[in-house]
């Protein structure tokens, strides 16, 4: 199936797929690829781009693939086996396409099994992971209000802005 022009694909480690099934809140199936221990959800083209920040927060654990040429998709009745197959949730909604809200359940599962999601850097739009960045004191400005004068930012962002 040609993916890049009609669908986006979300790829995650297989432990996330198992956790999603156990959680039971996502009514769409995912594909299991045992050879590389990954799972895949199908999204309508552009769905992930409607909510970019939630996807960026879990980008260390989950990839949104938008430029795949092709992806092998097993028949919808293939639910077991050594090769690619579908894993259906207990409460299946009847479709095979997830929507951009899939990210909410993925965030819960990645937090439980893989680690903390990223926070937003106060100086740029890129994700800031827990072990990265520095704390800086921002100069007071009537246009920007923060809960405190000290915020976490990327080290490079702090250097670029001349902050200490």
């Amino acid at each position: 199936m040609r993916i890049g022009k009609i669908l986006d694909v979300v790829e995650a480690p297989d432990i996330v797929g198992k956790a999603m099934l156990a959680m039971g809140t996502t009514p769409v199936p995912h594909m299991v690829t045992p050879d590389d221990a990954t799972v895949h959800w199908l999204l309508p083209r552009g769905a992930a781009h409607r909510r970019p920040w939630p996807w960026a927060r879990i980008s260390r654990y989950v990839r949104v693939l938008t430029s795949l040429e092709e992806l092998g998709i097993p028949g919808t009745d293939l639910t077991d086996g050594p090769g690619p197959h579908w894993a259906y949730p207990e409460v299946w909604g009847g479709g095979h396409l997830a929507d951009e809200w899939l990210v909410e359940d993925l965030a819960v599962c990645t937090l439980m099994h893989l680690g903390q999601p990223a926070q937003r850097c106060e100086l740029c739009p890129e994700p800031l992971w827990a072990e990265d960045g520095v704390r800086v004191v921002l100069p007071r400005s009537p246009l920007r209000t923060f809960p405190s004068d000290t915020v976490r930012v990327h080290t490079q962002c702090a250097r670029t802005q001349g902050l200490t």
Side-chain angles (χ1 to χ4, degrees), residues 17-26 102 104-109 112:
K18 291 174 186 167
M20 292 282 281
L21 288 175
M23 196 164 64
T25 57
T26 302
L102 173 70
E104 304 299 332
D105 288 342
L106 287 170
V108 170
C109 290
M112 289 181 352

PDB file of all heavy atoms in Angstrom, residues 17-26 102 104-109 112:
ATOM      1  N   GLY A  17       2.259  -1.137  22.250  1.00  0.00           N
ATOM      2  CA  GLY A  17       1.069  -1.768  21.681  1.00  0.00           C
ATOM      3  C   GLY A  17       0.361  -2.658  22.690  1.00  0.00           C
ATOM      4  O   GLY A  17      -0.866  -2.613  22.815  1.00  0.00           O
ATOM      5  N   LYS A  18       1.128  -3.442  23.428  1.00  0.00           N
ATOM      6  CA  LYS A  18       0.529  -4.306  24.462  1.00  0.00           C
ATOM      7  C   LYS A  18      -0.139  -3.469  25.538  1.00  0.00           C
ATOM      8  O   LYS A  18      -1.233  -3.789  26.005  1.00  0.00           O
ATOM      9  CB  LYS A  18       1.602  -5.209  25.067  1.00  0.00           C
ATOM     10  CG  LYS A  18       2.110  -6.249  24.100  1.00  0.00           C
ATOM     11  CD  LYS A  18       3.268  -7.029  24.679  1.00  0.00           C
ATOM     12  CE  LYS A  18       3.844  -7.960  23.616  1.00  0.00           C
ATOM     13  NZ  LYS A  18       5.123  -8.516  24.006  1.00  0.00           N
ATOM     14  N   ALA A  19       0.508  -2.379  25.934  1.00  0.00           N
ATOM     15  CA  ALA A  19      -0.061  -1.503  26.961  1.00  0.00           C
ATOM     16  C   ALA A  19      -1.338  -0.830  26.460  1.00  0.00           C
ATOM     17  O   ALA A  19      -2.297  -0.669  27.222  1.00  0.00           O
ATOM     18  CB  ALA A  19       0.963  -0.453  27.383  1.00  0.00           C
ATOM     19  N   MET A  20      -1.357  -0.460  25.193  1.00  0.00           N
ATOM     20  CA  MET A  20      -2.550   0.174  24.631  1.00  0.00           C
ATOM     21  C   MET A  20      -3.731  -0.797  24.642  1.00  0.00           C
ATOM     22  O   MET A  20      -4.845  -0.411  24.969  1.00  0.00           O
ATOM     23  CB  MET A  20      -2.274   0.645  23.203  1.00  0.00           C
ATOM     24  CG  MET A  20      -1.290   1.787  23.120  1.00  0.00           C
ATOM     25  SD  MET A  20      -1.975   3.373  23.530  1.00  0.00           S
ATOM     26  CE  MET A  20      -2.810   3.743  22.005  1.00  0.00           C
ATOM     27  N   LEU A  21      -3.476  -2.053  24.293  1.00  0.00           N
ATOM     28  CA  LEU A  21      -4.549  -3.046  24.337  1.00  0.00           C
ATOM     29  C   LEU A  21      -5.038  -3.252  25.764  1.00  0.00           C
ATOM     30  O   LEU A  21      -6.238  -3.341  26.018  1.00  0.00           O
ATOM     31  CB  LEU A  21      -4.079  -4.375  23.745  1.00  0.00           C
ATOM     32  CG  LEU A  21      -3.888  -4.415  22.237  1.00  0.00           C
ATOM     33  CD1 LEU A  21      -3.305  -5.758  21.816  1.00  0.00           C
ATOM     34  CD2 LEU A  21      -5.198  -4.138  21.505  1.00  0.00           C
ATOM     35  N   ALA A  22      -4.101  -3.313  26.723  1.00  0.00           N
ATOM     36  CA  ALA A  22      -4.475  -3.521  28.122  1.00  0.00           C
ATOM     37  C   ALA A  22      -5.268  -2.331  28.657  1.00  0.00           C
ATOM     38  O   ALA A  22      -6.209  -2.504  29.438  1.00  0.00           O
ATOM     39  CB  ALA A  22      -3.223  -3.748  28.970  1.00  0.00           C
ATOM     40  N   MET A  23      -4.907  -1.135  28.248  1.00  0.00           N
ATOM     41  CA  MET A  23      -5.606   0.058  28.709  1.00  0.00           C
ATOM     42  C   MET A  23      -7.035   0.090  28.161  1.00  0.00           C
ATOM     43  O   MET A  23      -7.962   0.499  28.850  1.00  0.00           O
ATOM     44  CB  MET A  23      -4.832   1.305  28.287  1.00  0.00           C
ATOM     45  CG  MET A  23      -5.253   2.531  29.035  1.00  0.00           C
ATOM     46  SD  MET A  23      -4.079   3.886  28.909  1.00  0.00           S
ATOM     47  CE  MET A  23      -4.111   4.276  27.189  1.00  0.00           C
ATOM     48  N   GLY A  24      -7.199  -0.345  26.922  1.00  0.00           N
ATOM     49  CA  GLY A  24      -8.530  -0.507  26.353  1.00  0.00           C
ATOM     50  C   GLY A  24      -9.281   0.758  26.000  1.00  0.00           C
ATOM     51  O   GLY A  24     -10.497   0.720  25.834  1.00  0.00           O
ATOM     52  N   THR A  25      -8.613   1.879  25.854  1.00  0.00           N
ATOM     53  CA  THR A  25      -9.327   3.115  25.550  1.00  0.00           C
ATOM     54  C   THR A  25      -9.250   3.519  24.084  1.00  0.00           C
ATOM     55  O   THR A  25      -9.940   4.440  23.675  1.00  0.00           O
ATOM     56  CB  THR A  25      -8.787   4.278  26.409  1.00  0.00           C
ATOM     57  OG1 THR A  25      -7.385   4.407  26.176  1.00  0.00           O
ATOM     58  CG2 THR A  25      -9.046   4.034  27.883  1.00  0.00           C
ATOM     59  N   THR A  26      -8.421   2.864  23.302  1.00  0.00           N
ATOM     60  CA  THR A  26      -8.283   3.184  21.880  1.00  0.00           C
ATOM     61  C   THR A  26      -9.062   2.153  21.074  1.00  0.00           C
ATOM     62  O   THR A  26      -8.726   0.970  21.096  1.00  0.00           O
ATOM     63  CB  THR A  26      -6.797   3.189  21.472  1.00  0.00           C
ATOM     64  OG1 THR A  26      -6.122   4.145  22.278  1.00  0.00           O
ATOM     65  CG2 THR A  26      -6.636   3.561  20.017  1.00  0.00           C
ATOM     66  N   LEU A 102      -5.117   9.754  19.201  1.00  0.00           N
ATOM     67  CA  LEU A 102      -4.342   8.571  19.575  1.00  0.00           C
ATOM     68  C   LEU A 102      -3.168   8.961  20.459  1.00  0.00           C
ATOM     69  O   LEU A 102      -2.766   8.220  21.356  1.00  0.00           O
ATOM     70  CB  LEU A 102      -3.842   7.863  18.306  1.00  0.00           C
ATOM     71  CG  LEU A 102      -2.880   6.699  18.469  1.00  0.00           C
ATOM     72  CD1 LEU A 102      -3.607   5.499  19.071  1.00  0.00           C
ATOM     73  CD2 LEU A 102      -2.263   6.340  17.129  1.00  0.00           C
ATOM     74  N   GLU A 104      -2.941  10.898  22.911  1.00  0.00           N
ATOM     75  CA  GLU A 104      -3.230  10.974  24.350  1.00  0.00           C
ATOM     76  C   GLU A 104      -2.980   9.626  25.023  1.00  0.00           C
ATOM     77  O   GLU A 104      -2.329   9.548  26.066  1.00  0.00           O
ATOM     78  CB  GLU A 104      -4.670  11.434  24.586  1.00  0.00           C
ATOM     79  CG  GLU A 104      -5.020  12.758  23.941  1.00  0.00           C
ATOM     80  CD  GLU A 104      -4.187  13.923  24.447  1.00  0.00           C
ATOM     81  OE1 GLU A 104      -3.727  13.894  25.605  1.00  0.00           O
ATOM     82  OE2 GLU A 104      -3.993  14.874  23.674  1.00  0.00           O
ATOM     83  N   ASP A 105      -3.500   8.558  24.440  1.00  0.00           N
ATOM     84  CA  ASP A 105      -3.274   7.224  25.004  1.00  0.00           C
ATOM     85  C   ASP A 105      -1.816   6.806  24.876  1.00  0.00           C
ATOM     86  O   ASP A 105      -1.261   6.170  25.771  1.00  0.00           O
ATOM     87  CB  ASP A 105      -4.169   6.185  24.322  1.00  0.00           C
ATOM     88  CG  ASP A 105      -5.629   6.338  24.714  1.00  0.00           C
ATOM     89  OD1 ASP A 105      -5.913   6.992  25.738  1.00  0.00           O
ATOM     90  OD2 ASP A 105      -6.486   5.806  23.993  1.00  0.00           O
ATOM     91  N   LEU A 106      -1.191   7.166  23.772  1.00  0.00           N
ATOM     92  CA  LEU A 106       0.224   6.844  23.601  1.00  0.00           C
ATOM     93  C   LEU A 106       1.076   7.541  24.660  1.00  0.00           C
ATOM     94  O   LEU A 106       2.033   6.964  25.175  1.00  0.00           O
ATOM     95  CB  LEU A 106       0.707   7.224  22.208  1.00  0.00           C
ATOM     96  CG  LEU A 106       0.227   6.325  21.075  1.00  0.00           C
ATOM     97  CD1 LEU A 106       0.571   6.933  19.733  1.00  0.00           C
ATOM     98  CD2 LEU A 106       0.816   4.935  21.200  1.00  0.00           C
ATOM     99  N   ALA A 107       0.737   8.762  25.012  1.00  0.00           N
ATOM    100  CA  ALA A 107       1.488   9.490  26.042  1.00  0.00           C
ATOM    101  C   ALA A 107       1.395   8.771  27.383  1.00  0.00           C
ATOM    102  O   ALA A 107       2.391   8.642  28.106  1.00  0.00           O
ATOM    103  CB  ALA A 107       0.984  10.924  26.163  1.00  0.00           C
ATOM    104  N   VAL A 108       0.230   8.285  27.730  1.00  0.00           N
ATOM    105  CA  VAL A 108       0.058   7.546  28.986  1.00  0.00           C
ATOM    106  C   VAL A 108       0.900   6.274  28.972  1.00  0.00           C
ATOM    107  O   VAL A 108       1.617   5.976  29.927  1.00  0.00           O
ATOM    108  CB  VAL A 108      -1.432   7.208  29.228  1.00  0.00           C
ATOM    109  CG1 VAL A 108      -1.592   6.243  30.394  1.00  0.00           C
ATOM    110  CG2 VAL A 108      -2.240   8.476  29.456  1.00  0.00           C
ATOM    111  N   CYS A 109       0.837   5.532  27.882  1.00  0.00           N
ATOM    112  CA  CYS A 109       1.568   4.266  27.792  1.00  0.00           C
ATOM    113  C   CYS A 109       3.080   4.466  27.759  1.00  0.00           C
ATOM    114  O   CYS A 109       3.819   3.694  28.370  1.00  0.00           O
ATOM    115  CB  CYS A 109       1.104   3.477  26.574  1.00  0.00           C
ATOM    116  SG  CYS A 109      -0.566   2.839  26.778  1.00  0.00           S
ATOM    117  N   MET A 112       4.218   5.270  31.299  1.00  0.00           N
ATOM    118  CA  MET A 112       4.207   4.093  32.174  1.00  0.00           C
ATOM    119  C   MET A 112       5.343   3.126  31.867  1.00  0.00           C
ATOM    120  O   MET A 112       5.874   2.501  32.770  1.00  0.00           O
ATOM    121  CB  MET A 112       2.868   3.342  32.043  1.00  0.00           C
ATOM    122  CG  MET A 112       1.710   4.082  32.647  1.00  0.00           C
ATOM    123  SD  MET A 112       0.087   3.272  32.559  1.00  0.00           S
ATOM    124  CE  MET A 112       0.270   1.848  31.552  1.00  0.00           C
TER     125      MET A 112
END
